[in-house]
């Protein structure tokens, strides 16, 4: 059995179906296993079940926003060391600072590129090796 099927588990939490689908497509192409969630509540149960190695979370979401979601993840001892990358269409200093306060590890502005997504993963999951796709 091939070992590569155990791709890096990545979670993408965003209320935008387009963003979830885009991130999922990009990440699957480099061999990641992608778990998606539509909001913070949806994500919390999936995190407990799926144990992703890195989490991308949108800031502006209904019910439980990205800051609250990040704080809950970081306050759980089992997931405290899991990198959380905030995603936002706003590139404000205040948003970045607030993200740091709740424990986020990085901040990406939407729309993000494949390079930014992979760069964030490489920065926080050093043992990640993307699968090269034949063009």
């Amino acid at each position: 059995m091939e070992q590569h099927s155990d791709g890096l588990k990545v979670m993408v939490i965003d209320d935008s179906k387009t963003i979830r689908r885009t991130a999922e497509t990009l990440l699957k192409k480099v061999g990641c296993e992608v778990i998606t969630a539509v909001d913070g509540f949806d994500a919390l149960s999936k995190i407990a079940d799926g144990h992703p190695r890195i989490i991308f979370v949108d800031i502006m979401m209904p019910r439980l926003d990205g800051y609250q979601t990040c704080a809950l993840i970081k306050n759980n001892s089992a997931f405290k060391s899991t990198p959380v990358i905030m995603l936002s269409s706003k590139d404000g200093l205040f948003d970045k600072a607030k993200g740091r306060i709740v424990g986020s590890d990085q901040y990406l502005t939407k729309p993000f590129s494949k390079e930014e997504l992979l760069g964030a993963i490489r920065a926080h999951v050093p043992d990640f090796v993307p699968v090269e796709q034949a063009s």
Side-chain angles (χ1 to χ4, degrees):
M1 186 155 153
E2 204 175 275
Q3 197 62 36
H4 232 11
S5 61
D6 293 338
L8 177 74
K9 274 193 189 176
V10 180
M11 175 167 257
V12 178
I13 312 164
D14 200 308
D15 56 327
S16 161
K17 190 175 189 173
T18 309
I19 295 289
R20 284 196 314 273
R21 192 172 286 148
T22 302
E24 186 174 14
T25 303
L26 291 172
L27 293 166
K28 281 186 171 175
K29 280 184 181 167
V30 294
C32 293
E33 182 183 326
V34 184
I35 306 164
T36 60
V38 294
D39 64 29
F41 285 114
D42 184 29
L44 294 173
S45 62
K46 289 181 177 178
I47 289 167
D49 293 341
H51 290 269
R53 294 268 315 273
I54 186 167
I55 299 167
F56 291 91
V57 60
D58 181 31
I59 291 175
M60 302 296 286
M61 293 185 296
R63 301 201 305 159
L64 199 62
D65 72 20
Y67 297 123
Q68 295 163 316
T69 304
C70 180
L72 288 166
I73 293 166
K74 291 297 187 174
N75 286 330
N76 182 320
S77 57
F79 303 105
K80 192 184 227 64
S81 62
T82 304
V84 176
I85 315 300
M86 303 300 268
L87 300 173
S88 178
S89 46
K90 296 193 288 186
D91 192 15
L93 203 58
F94 174 76
D95 298 302
K96 290 181 181 178
K98 193 171 176 185
R100 286 269 179 235
I101 291 166
V102 295
S104 79
D105 296 274
Q106 195 176 334
Y107 188 101
L108 289 183
T109 306
K110 295 191 279 189
F112 46 79
S113 67
K114 177 183 172 183
E115 286 70 34
E116 288 173 311
L117 218 52
L118 291 179
I121 294 173
R122 280 194 195 100
H124 301 286
V125 186
D127 61 351
F128 171 65
V129 179
V131 175
E132 289 303 319
Q133 293 292 307
S135 340

